Amino acid sequence: QVQLVESGGGLVQPGGSLRLSCAASGSIFSINTMGWYRQAPGEQRELVATITSGGSTNYADSVKGRFTLSRDNTKNTVYLQMNSLKPEDTAVYYCNYQRFGGYREYWGQGTQVTVSS
């Protein structure tokens, strides 16, 4: 019903920047929350940031001041601008979508982000 296509991952040096994009298609509801989660090797998936259709954001403490989440409702796309990247940011990043008040959520396929010298 909802498809999420991610792009923008890659290899970057510490202190560098990347921008991830997630484009949603299918049965998109106007009121929803989208965001990014990440999972490092051997670790559990954790919240990075979320944003509502109204623009309210929520960030993990570890990324506050470095990452910025935004969305273009016309394009049904969210963007995660990642600055001052650290090796600890290395993970597979997954896009997430959930309709407001909905019980069902959707996930992207994941995109690898590697921060290393």
Side-chain angles (χ1 to χ4, degrees):
Q1 293 180 317
V2 176
Q3 296 80 44
L4 304 173
V5 179
E6 302 141 321
S7 63
L11 175 64
V12 65
Q13 294 183 334
S17 298
L18 285 173
R19 190 171 86 148
L20 305 183
S21 299
C22 176
S25 62
S27 300
I28 305 301
F29 292 86
S30 297
I31 304 176
N32 60 65
T33 298
M34 296 184 68
W36 290 91
Y37 293 71
R38 66 188 182 188
Q39 186 169 16
E43 303 291 336
Q44 298 298 310
R45 190 170 300 183
E46 65 177 359
L47 169 77
V48 177
T50 60
I51 185 168
T52 68
S53 50
S56 297
T57 54
N58 181 41
Y59 295 93
D61 288 341
S62 59
V63 306
K64 287 181 179 178
R66 300 188 298 121
F67 292 9
T68 302
L69 184 63
S70 62
R71 63 186 295 163
D72 184 337
N73 291 331
T74 301
K75 298 180 179 180
N76 294 318
T77 300
V78 295
Y79 307 93
L80 183 66
Q81 179 66 47
M82 304 185 294
N83 299 325
S84 301
L85 283 162
K86 305 175 181 179
E88 309 92 86
D89 296 318
T90 296
V92 177
Y93 284 68
Y94 297 91
C95 184
N96 175 269
Y97 166 95
Q98 186 172 43
R99 173 174 65 87
F100 177 78
Y103 61 91
R104 186 178 301 174
E105 62 182 359
Y106 300 86
W107 295 92
Q109 78 283 0
T111 184
Q112 177 71 47
V113 172
T114 302
V115 184
S116 176
S117 298

